[in-house]
């Protein structure tokens, strides 16, 4: 065989083998990370192994179907948050044929018109993949021309829109709200975060408390006096939650010792926490810390189904089917996988409730600051210690200031909410994070005026310094809103 | 007894497969023409001196092949010298002479006629005839005796067609070269055959060199532009995607799926055409379609246009994962190809600067070029599968 024939044969065989492997990976099962066409955004990198969570369209679907199916999957995780935010540019609004003229400009019926995955070269803040002056597409002509309908906006370029507006969430930025909150002092006379104060003030009824004598556990488990002491001083003990409540959840509270020992679980899962803290566990799975437990994540593929789709015999031996299986996606986030700066000595175990709360001490004060700083190592976190907010937190902890006056990491990033009369912590840290104006209504305004809050959050240096100092940036939204509501010549 | 034409054809056939040995086609045609003239001379039908070749006897020899040539010489209005007849017959009669001589050898039962992959082969029935001729030539060349006139002719023809490596070892050739030179000029027609071949080869060499020099200029220019463009676009900072909203050309090129699809398929088409141009150049039918060097120029030109399309398709962003491997292999193919093109196109200039072994220098980039190209089909299919499946 001539050298050319050998090369041609090797190339052909290599091509067939390589393509065969890739077809099996795509259609049947296996680790597909090598097929990624670009780094996944910070928002979704934790889900990289569950391709079908987003890529739900059947293979070789026509482009319209593929696009439509892909966009439907965005709603699975983001629709509730957008509804809560009273989305200013909701898909529903743009589906109306009345808006057809705008579809050609920016097709707001589809999330992917502005948020394309795996394109790091064009991905900007908040995973936006169009130029940040995109408002120009619709608000530069006709009745939507913002420069003619708002005299204050005359001469502004479209890359400044994001300084005052958000595309989706404008709950703290719409005109009436701005006018209503105009003229507020930078610090309110009684700066207290009301829901935090309520939350911290809550104590379980004294009669529900149990002591070490009131709990059942195997002797070996009770031998560690530190653990028992931690539990005894915790809110759990005060609320009557015994060892068995978590370690033997299937046994009745007054069940016999032998049943507790038989059903004992050394490391209970998050589902045990969910029994009592449903809202906290639900929101934990919506944020970056727990999104790998999101209920809408796709399950690994069934290799048999893929083989059948390819017209191949799906009744293969178990060992072969197992070798064709998708790698099991990780069920928890680890600090080491984070893309934000993390401490080198951050905990290595998977992130779950116990990582921040300590399984036995269940210390919410620890979870509110120290637990965050055990992993996060960015400038904002470092600057917290020694900041005015931190000083207030220390004072409150020391009992020198009223409840709710201290500001912890959790005060701003795990915002308290009220549900059925009960104060709960929203464990979706993203709910008040990006864009940061989302934090204004549930957090900032309890202590600060709107103008000061807007200026502070717009000053990226001040954010880095964790609000040590005064804002060097001024957002003119409130003045412009007042001018529009009460034009200077209105009284003449 | 075999004619000189039959003998020379027999000597030019491979011992094992019956395929013709690789001999310069002009030399082969001149040798056939010269052999036919010698057959006529030995049949006492023509004679030749330094200035003319004349017909002595127009009576047929009984061999149709020789009689046709004899009739043509006799009917020719002008008297020409032997070299002119060698050239004329080589140009106009060589194919007919070859076919008739081969048919005669088949009729005599010395050869068989077979067809393999649409190419005719003439394997020998037992190889005795060829072996005897070779042994006889070997004896004559290595002996010191004054040879028979027929042997002088055989030696002249063998030398014209460079057949001696099939008959003698390298050492024997070295030893016998002075005698071969001496013997081949003993016969006038043999001398004229050698002269005609040498003159034709000189002319052709000049023509080839002139043409090659022109093609080399094209190859050098295209390869240099392609190479510099590839290196420049790989090394200079990426052009950022415009940060202004609006349907700008760059945003469409690198952001719009439909545009990406088009540019991708045009790039694929150009790549396939470039590969085809390189492959077709080596095929027989390509020779009939014109100068083979045009295929090379086309190959290099298509390679250069691939650089442009690659920029249009990717903005020379190197990609991620398997796309990065695809891009790496594609760039390796382009850069190595351009480098090989520059070496080939600039061979004359490089030799002037003292790089005698340009051919050897070209080998490495050519190997890289071929290896990189071999990986592309798999990576391209995978690229397409990823695009359409996800």
């Amino acid at each position: 065989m001539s050298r050319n024939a050998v090369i041609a044969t090797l190339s052909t065989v290599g091509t067939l083998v390589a393509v065969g492997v890739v077809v099996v990976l795509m259609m049947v099962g296996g680790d597909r990370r090598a097929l990624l066409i670009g780094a996944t955004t910070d928002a979704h990198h934790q889900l990289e192994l569950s391709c079908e969570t987003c890529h739900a369209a059947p293979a070789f679907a026509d482009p319209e179907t593929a696009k439509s199916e892909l966009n439907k999957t965005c709603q699975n995780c983001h629709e509730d948050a957008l509804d809560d935010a009273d989305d200013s540019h909701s898909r529903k609004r743009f589906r109306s044929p009345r808006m057809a003229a705008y579809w050609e400009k920016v097709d707001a019926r589809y999330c992917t018109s502005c948020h394309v995955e795996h394109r790091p070269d064009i991905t900007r803040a908040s995973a936006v993949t169009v130029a940040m002056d995109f408002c120009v597409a619709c608000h530069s002509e006709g009745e939507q021309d913002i420069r003619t309908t708002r005299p204050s906006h005359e001469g502004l370029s479209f890359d400044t829109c994001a300084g005052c507006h958000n595309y989706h969430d404008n709950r703290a930025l719409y005109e009436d709200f701005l006018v209503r909150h105009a003229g507020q002092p930078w610090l309110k006379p009684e700066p207290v975060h009301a829901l935090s104060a309520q939350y911290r003030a809550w104590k379980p009824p004294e009669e529900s408390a149990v002591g070490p004598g009131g709990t059942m556990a195997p002797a070996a488990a009770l031998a560690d006096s530190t653990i028992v002491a931690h539990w005894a001083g915790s809110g759990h003990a005060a609320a009557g939650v015994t060892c068995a409540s978590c370690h033997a959840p299937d046994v009745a509270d007054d069940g016999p010792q032998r049943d507790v020992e038989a059903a004992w679980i050394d490391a209970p899962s998050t589902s045990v926490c969910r029994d009592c803290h449903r809202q906290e566990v639900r929101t934990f799975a919506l944020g970056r810390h727990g999104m790998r437990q999101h209920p809408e994540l796709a399950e690994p593929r069934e290799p048999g189904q893929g083989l059948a789709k390819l017209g191949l015999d799906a009744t293969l031996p178990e060992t072969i089917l197992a070798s064709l299986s998708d790698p099991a996606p990780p069920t928890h986030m680890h600090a080491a996988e984070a893309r934000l700066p993390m401490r080198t000595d951050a905990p290595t175990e998977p992130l779950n409730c116990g990582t921040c709360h300590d399984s036995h001490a269940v210390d919410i004060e620890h979870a509110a600051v120290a637990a965050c700083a055990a992993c996060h190592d960015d400038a904002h976190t470092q600057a917290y210690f020694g900041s005015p907010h931190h000083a207030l937190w220390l004072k409150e902890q020391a009992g020198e200031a009223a409840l709710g006056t201290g500001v912890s990491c959790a005060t701003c990033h795990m915002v308290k909410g009220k549900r059925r009369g009960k104060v709960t912590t929203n464990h979706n840290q993203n709910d008040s994070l990006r864009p940061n104006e989302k934090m204004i209504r549930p957090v900032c305004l309890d202590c600060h005026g709107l103008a000061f809050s807007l200026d502070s959050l717009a000053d990226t240096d001040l954010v880095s310094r964790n609000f040590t100092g005064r804002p060097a940036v001024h957002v003119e939204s409130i003045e412009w809103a007042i001018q529009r509501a009460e034009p200077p010549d209105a009284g003449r | 007894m075999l004619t000189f034409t039959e003998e020379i054809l027999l000597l030019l056939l491979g011992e094992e497969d019956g395929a013709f040995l690789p001999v310069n086609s002009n030399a082969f045609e001149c040798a056939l023409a010269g052999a036919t003239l010698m057959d006529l001379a030995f049949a006492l039908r023509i004679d030749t001196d330094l200035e003319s070749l004349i017909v002595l006897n127009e009576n047929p020899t009984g061999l149709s092949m020789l009689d046709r040539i004899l009739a043509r010489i006799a009917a020719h209005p002008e008297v020409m010298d032997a070299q002119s007849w060698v050239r004329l017959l080589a140009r106009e009669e060589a194919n007919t002479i070859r076919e008739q001589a081969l048919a005669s050898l088949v009729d005599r039962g010395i050869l068989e006629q077979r067809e393999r992959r649409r190419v005719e082969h003439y394997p020998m029935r037992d190889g005795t005839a060829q072996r005897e001729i070779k042994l006889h030539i070997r004896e004559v060349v290595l002996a010191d005796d004054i040879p028979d006139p027929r042997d002088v002719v055989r030696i002249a023809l063998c030398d014209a067609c460079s057949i001696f490596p099939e008959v003698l070892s390298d050492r024997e050739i070295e030893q016998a070269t002075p005698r071969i030179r001496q013997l081949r000029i003993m016969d006038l027609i043999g001398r004229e055959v050698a002269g005609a071949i040498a003159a034709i080869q000189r002319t052709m060499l000049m023509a080839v060199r002139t043409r090659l020099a022109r093609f080399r200029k094209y190859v050098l220019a295209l390869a240099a532009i392609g190479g510099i463009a590839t290196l420049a676009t790989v090394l200079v900072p990426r052009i950022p995607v415009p940060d202004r909203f609006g349907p700008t050309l760059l945003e469409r090129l690198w952001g719009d799926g439909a545009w990406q699809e088009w540019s991708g398929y045009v790039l694929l088409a150009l790549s396939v055409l470039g590969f085809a141009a390189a492959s077709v150049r080596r095929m027989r039918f390509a020779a009939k379609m014109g100068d083979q060097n045009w295929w090379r120029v086309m190959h290099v030109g298509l390679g250069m246009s691939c650089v442009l399309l690659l920029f249009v398709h990717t903005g020379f962003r190197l990609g991620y994962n398997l796309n990065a491997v695809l891009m790496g292999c594609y760039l390796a193919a382009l850069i190595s190809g351009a480098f090989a093109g520059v070496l080939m196109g600039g061979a004359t200039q490089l030799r002037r600067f003292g790089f005698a072994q340009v051919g050897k220098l070209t080998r490495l980039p050519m190997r890289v070029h071929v290896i990189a190209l071999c990986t592309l089909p798999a990576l391209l299919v995978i690229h397409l599968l990823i695009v359409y499946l996800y």
Side-chain angles (χ1 to χ4, degrees):
Chain A
M1 197 186 267
S2 73
R3 199 175 60 178
N4 284 351
V6 170
I7 291 170
T9 308
L10 283 176
S11 177
T12 309
V13 172
T15 301
L16 292 174
V17 170
V19 171
V21 168
V22 169
V23 167
V24 168
L25 279 177
M26 287 176 158
M27 305 290 288
V28 181
D31 191 341
R32 288 169 287 174
R33 273 174 290 191
L35 307 182
L36 281 172
I37 59 161
T40 313
T41 56
D42 298 349
H44 296 143
H45 77 103
Q46 293 187 46
L47 318 176
E48 232 169 41
L49 276 177
S50 307
C51 308
E52 280 69 28
T53 301
C54 303
H55 297 281
F60 297 111
D62 65 274
E64 274 309 308
T65 308
K67 186 175 168 185
S68 170
E69 292 297 320
L70 182 67
N71 278 273
K72 276 182 197 165
T73 64
C74 306
Q75 298 166 52
N76 291 339
C77 299
H78 298 285
E79 192 167 39
D80 288 347
L82 289 170
D83 284 347
D84 289 347
D86 190 18
D87 188 1
S88 310
H89 295 84
S90 68
R91 292 171 60 252
K92 216 180 293 172
R93 181 176 299 177
F94 281 92
R95 277 208 297 263
S96 161
R98 222 166 39 82
M99 306 298 272
Y102 294 101
W103 298 347
E104 289 296 313
K105 296 171 179 177
V106 173
D107 197 344
R109 296 172 301 167
Y110 298 106
C111 309
T112 51
S113 297
C114 298
H115 303 281
V116 184
E117 251 306 348
H118 307 300
R119 292 292 306 271
D121 52 330
I122 55 168
T123 303
R124 286 107 170 158
S126 301
V128 174
T129 47
V130 290
M132 293 308 283
D133 63 342
F134 60 86
C135 308
V136 74
C138 304
H139 293 285
S140 60
E141 56 189 31
E143 60 181 18
Q144 288 292 331
D145 189 344
I146 208 71
R147 294 163 302 188
T148 56
T149 57
R150 299 276 196 288
S152 55
H153 288 47
E154 201 179 307
L156 292 179
S157 62
F158 281 92
D159 53 3
T160 61
C161 303
C164 303
H165 304 279
N166 292 321
Y167 182 83
H168 294 294
D169 188 340
N170 287 289
R171 279 175 290 180
L173 304 171
Y174 65 93
E175 239 167 32
D176 289 350
F177 187 81
L178 296 173
V179 172
R180 264 204 320 272
H181 292 80
Q184 291 177 331
W186 78 275
L187 186 67
K188 293 193 172 168
E190 287 181 20
V192 172
H193 191 252
L195 290 176
S196 292
Q198 278 186 46
Y199 183 79
R200 286 171 205 154
W202 184 83
K203 294 274 184 287
E206 277 182 18
E207 61 274 19
S208 62
V210 286
T215 187
M216 279 186 291
L222 291 171
D224 189 333
S225 58
T226 314
I227 288 179
V228 176
H230 278 167
W231 167 78
S234 73
H236 274 169
V241 178
T242 65
C243 303
S245 304
C246 301
H247 288 280
D250 295 334
V251 179
D253 281 348
D254 55 353
Q257 171 81 13
R258 64 171 183 282
D259 286 1
V260 170
E261 287 183 12
W264 188 263
I265 304 163
D266 282 333
S269 70
T270 310
S271 64
V272 172
C273 309
R274 189 187 292 122
D275 289 344
C276 299
H277 303 282
R278 183 172 294 276
Q279 189 62 11
E280 284 77 3
V281 173
R282 188 185 74 81
T283 51
F284 178 69
L286 302 178
R288 297 286 173 84
H289 294 139
M291 66 193 292
R292 280 178 171 164
Q293 291 157 39
H294 196 286
E296 295 292 344
L297 293 193
E299 293 293 323
R301 291 169 298 169
E302 195 61 53
Q305 288 178 2
L307 288 168
K309 270 186 209 165
L310 290 172
L312 299 171
D313 185 6
T315 56
L316 291 171
E318 271 305 314
T319 47
I320 297 179
L321 284 176
S323 68
L324 293 173
S325 299
D326 282 350
T331 52
H332 294 82
M333 177 61 173
H334 295 80
E337 295 175 82
R339 292 187 175 174
L340 290 173
M342 293 284 148
R343 290 174 63 97
T344 50
D345 59 348
T348 53
E349 67 261 25
L351 259 176
N352 55 32
C353 306
T355 312
C356 301
H357 287 285
D358 187 297
S359 309
H360 296 102
V362 205
D363 183 352
I364 53 171
E365 273 72 36
H366 171 82
V369 174
C372 311
C375 295
H376 289 271
D377 199 22
D378 50 276
H380 179 76
T381 307
Q382 288 167 359
Y384 170 75
F385 300 95
S387 70
H389 284 160
H390 182 231
L392 290 167
W393 174 251
L394 291 178
K395 268 182 141 182
E396 186 191 325
Q397 293 296 294
E400 296 165 12
L403 292 174
T405 52
V407 183
S408 67
C409 305
T411 308
C412 304
H413 298 294
M414 295 218 174
V415 178
K416 299 285 181 290
K418 211 161 189 180
R419 194 178 161 86
R420 292 176 192 155
K422 193 178 158 196
V423 180
T424 60
T425 304
N426 182 350
H427 281 61
N428 174 7
Q429 62 16 273
N430 208 40
D431 223 22
S432 59
L433 191 61
R434 290 196 188 90
N436 61 13
E437 291 91 350
K438 284 158 83 177
M439 199 179 282
I440 291 176
R441 285 178 70 144
V443 183
C444 308
L445 289 188
D446 273 18
C447 303
H448 298 285
L450 179 61
F452 178 80
S453 303
L454 286 171
D455 292 350
S456 299
L457 290 169
D459 186 343
T460 50
D461 282 342
L462 187 63
V463 173
S464 282
R465 296 199 305 274
N466 213 307
F467 307 103
T468 303
R470 300 297 292 257
V473 172
H474 178 53
V475 179
E476 292 178 288
S477 311
I478 296 176
E479 286 93 323
W480 289 349
I482 289 170
Q483 268 179 32
R484 190 169 140 82
E486 303 165 5
D489 57 350
R492 291 180 197 170
Chain B
M1 192 170 62
L2 296 176
T3 63
F4 287 124
T5 317
E6 289 163 343
E7 280 187 14
I8 198 76
L9 272 176
L10 207 50
L11 286 171
L12 281 169
L13 282 172
E15 288 173 16
E16 287 172 8
D17 57 358
F20 280 102
L21 298 172
V23 176
N24 181 298
S25 61
N26 295 297
F28 179 49
E29 285 160 2
C30 286
L32 285 180
T36 310
L37 292 177
M38 286 175 194
D39 280 323
L40 287 172
F42 274 80
L44 302 176
R45 297 297 190 274
I46 60 169
D47 196 8
T48 179
D49 57 24
L50 287 173
E51 288 167 0
S52 59
L53 185 148
I54 52 165
V55 176
L56 298 175
N57 181 355
E58 290 186 35
N59 288 338
T61 59
L63 293 168
S64 61
M65 174 181 74
L66 297 181
D67 292 341
R68 200 169 51 79
I69 302 297
L70 178 62
R72 179 167 181 173
I73 297 170
H76 201 271
E78 293 169 34
V79 175
M80 298 197 297
D81 62 10
Q83 194 174 105
S84 301
W85 274 112
V86 169
R87 285 185 182 193
L88 182 71
L89 294 177
R91 197 168 57 241
E92 295 179 5
E93 298 286 353
N95 277 342
T96 317
I97 295 169
R98 174 180 161 276
E99 278 163 24
Q100 287 181 335
L102 282 169
S104 168
L105 286 168
V106 173
D107 289 345
R108 287 171 191 262
I110 294 170
L111 299 181
E112 286 177 38
Q113 186 175 4
R114 286 186 198 159
E115 194 176 287
R116 200 169 66 205
R117 292 184 193 163
R118 297 184 186 174
V119 177
E120 284 183 348
H121 286 248
Y122 295 90
M124 277 162 266
R125 282 188 189 275
D126 61 5
T128 313
Q130 190 195 52
R131 213 160 30 246
E132 280 177 2
I133 299 167
K134 282 184 177 176
L135 284 170
H136 182 72
I137 290 170
R138 187 183 162 79
E139 277 173 24
V140 173
V141 170
L142 296 176
D144 290 333
D145 306 337
I146 296 171
D148 179 73
R150 288 188 71 87
D151 291 335
V152 172
V153 171
R154 285 187 185 108
I155 286 160
L157 290 172
C158 285
D159 189 43
C161 295
S162 308
I163 292 172
F164 281 116
E166 301 294 318
V167 180
L168 304 171
S169 69
D170 291 349
R171 222 174 111 197
E172 286 168 340
I173 289 176
E174 201 178 323
Q175 183 192 329
T177 300
R179 180 168 162 81
I180 292 170
R181 280 190 193 143
Q182 194 182 23
L183 293 177
R184 78 177 180 199
I185 56 167
M186 287 173 69
D187 179 82
L188 186 60
I189 293 179
R191 202 164 66 201
E192 294 305 333
V193 168
I197 290 169
I200 288 170
Q201 284 180 340
R202 270 198 304 277
T203 314
M204 282 187 63
L205 199 61
M206 285 300 291
V208 166
R209 276 189 182 160
T210 314
R211 208 173 57 230
L212 263 182
R214 193 169 48 136
F215 282 115
R216 277 181 173 162
K217 270 186 201 166
Y218 296 139
V219 170
L220 178 61
L222 291 170
I225 293 169
I228 290 167
T230 314
L231 283 172
T233 41
V234 171
L235 297 176
V236 298
R238 301 286 85 87
I239 298 174
V241 175
D243 214 19
R244 290 263 165 241
F245 187 87
T248 62
L249 180 64
L250 291 182
E251 201 167 72
R252 276 183 172 160
L253 283 180
W254 301 327
D256 187 309
W259 282 55
Q260 287 255 294
E261 199 173 18
W262 270 102
S263 61
Y265 279 117
V266 173
L267 177 60
L268 178 63
L270 285 176
S271 308
V272 170
L273 284 174
F275 176 76
S279 310
V280 161
R281 195 171 63 83
R282 294 184 174 85
M283 294 179 183
R284 288 189 179 197
F285 74 87
K288 294 174 188 165
M289 292 168 70
D291 196 317
Q292 291 186 336
N293 285 299
W294 279 118
W295 293 104
R296 178 172 283 155
V297 173
M298 206 186 298
H299 174 70
V300 180
L302 284 163
M304 197 202 71
S305 53
C306 283
V307 180
L308 180 70
L309 252 295
L310 192 64
F311 175 72
V312 169
H313 187 59
T314 66
F316 273 103
R317 281 162 181 80
L318 298 181
Y320 190 74
N321 276 337
L322 285 172
N323 280 350
V325 179
L326 170 61
M327 189 69 168
C329 289
Y330 204 94
L331 287 173
L334 286 174
I335 292 172
S336 57
F339 189 50
V342 168
L343 287 175
M344 279 181 193
T348 315
Q349 290 87 334
L350 284 168
R351 283 198 190 97
R352 248 181 248 152
F353 286 112
F355 292 98
Q357 305 290 321
V358 179
K360 276 187 187 171
L361 274 179
T362 316
R363 253 179 243 161
L364 179 65
M366 281 305 291
R367 278 182 191 159
V368 175
H369 190 60
V370 170
I371 291 168
L373 285 173
C374 284
T375 63
L376 290 184
L379 292 166
L380 278 168
V381 174
I382 292 168
H383 177 70
L384 288 169
L385 282 173
I386 292 172
V387 169
Y388 286 109
L389 248 74
Y390 293 106

